[in-house]
Amino acid sequence: MKTLFNRQVIITSFVAGCLFGVLLKAVEKLTDNRVYTLLLNVDYIPILKNFRFPEIIEFAFHLIISWFITAIVYAICNKYKWNHAKLMRNSVLLQIFIACMLFPTTMFSKRTPMIKDFSAFGWWLAGHIVYGVMLGFLLKKRK
C-alpha cells in the first residue's frame, strides 16, 4: 500500500500516462487510426460497457491504470534492485505484453480499430513502447 501512494509513483504515472494519451490522441488525429479511442475504451468491461462516459472520465480511468502499472513496476524494481538497464528493458517488455493483451479487446467495440488493422496495432504497440521507456526513465531517479 505504501508503494501505491509513493510520491514518485503518483507523479510518474500521471506524467507518463498523460504523455501516452497525448501521443495516441495525436496519432489518431493525424492518421485516423483510432488508437486513442482504444486507449480510453471500456466496452470490454462488463459493468462499465453499459455507460457512455465523457472523455475526461475515460482518461481518468486510463490514469488510474497507469498508476497501478507504475506502482507494480516500482515495487518489483525495488524488491529485485534492478539497475537502470533492467528497469528500462522490463518496463518496455511489460508494455509490449500489455499492448498485445489489450489490442484484441477491439473486437468488443465498434468504436475501436478492427482486429486486423495492422497499422493501428503498430501505432498501439509503438505507443506502449514509448510509455514503457517513459516509465523507465522517470522511475530511474527513485530514491
Side-chain angles (χ1 to χ4, degrees):
M1 203 60 162
K2 201 180 203 181
T3 298
L4 199 55
F5 295 103
N6 175 288
R7 183 177 161 190
Q8 186 177 13
V9 167
I10 293 168
I11 292 169
T12 295
S13 68
F14 182 79
V15 170
C18 285
L19 291 174
F20 183 33
V22 167
L23 172 65
L24 289 188
K25 189 163 189 162
V27 167
E28 185 166 313
K29 291 285 185 198
L30 295 171
T31 68
D32 288 329
N33 283 294
R34 292 175 288 174
V35 290
Y36 178 72
T37 301
L38 177 58
L39 181 70
L40 303 187
N41 186 42
V42 293
D43 291 353
Y44 60 95
I45 302 173
I47 295 170
L48 297 179
K49 71 180 182 180
N50 299 323
F51 300 96
R52 285 285 166 229
F53 297 100
E55 180 180 355
I56 192 74
I57 300 299
E58 290 178 334
F59 198 80
F61 291 154
H62 158 68
L63 290 177
I64 290 167
I65 299 302
S66 177
W67 181 27
F68 282 108
I69 290 169
T70 304
I72 290 166
V73 170
Y74 180 85
I76 294 170
C77 176
N78 284 334
K79 180 177 181 174
Y80 294 103
K81 311 263 188 268
W82 288 347
N83 62 24
H84 186 242
K86 269 190 181 172
L87 170 61
M88 292 296 283
R89 182 194 70 213
N90 292 339
S91 180
V92 169
L93 288 175
L94 174 64
Q95 288 309 306
I96 291 171
F97 175 76
I98 290 171
C100 291
M101 294 302 294
L102 284 178
F103 195 77
T105 66
T106 61
M107 294 184 294
F108 300 109
S109 178
K110 296 191 184 316
R111 301 182 306 139
T112 58
M114 298 296 294
I115 189 73
K116 295 178 183 178
D117 187 339
F118 297 112
S119 176
F121 178 71
W123 284 113
W124 179 251
L125 188 59
H128 276 81
I129 290 169
V130 169
Y131 176 77
V133 169
M134 284 188 288
L135 279 187
F137 177 76
L138 293 169
L139 289 177
K140 174 186 172 195
K141 298 180 181 182
R142 69 188 186 286
K143 295 178 182 179

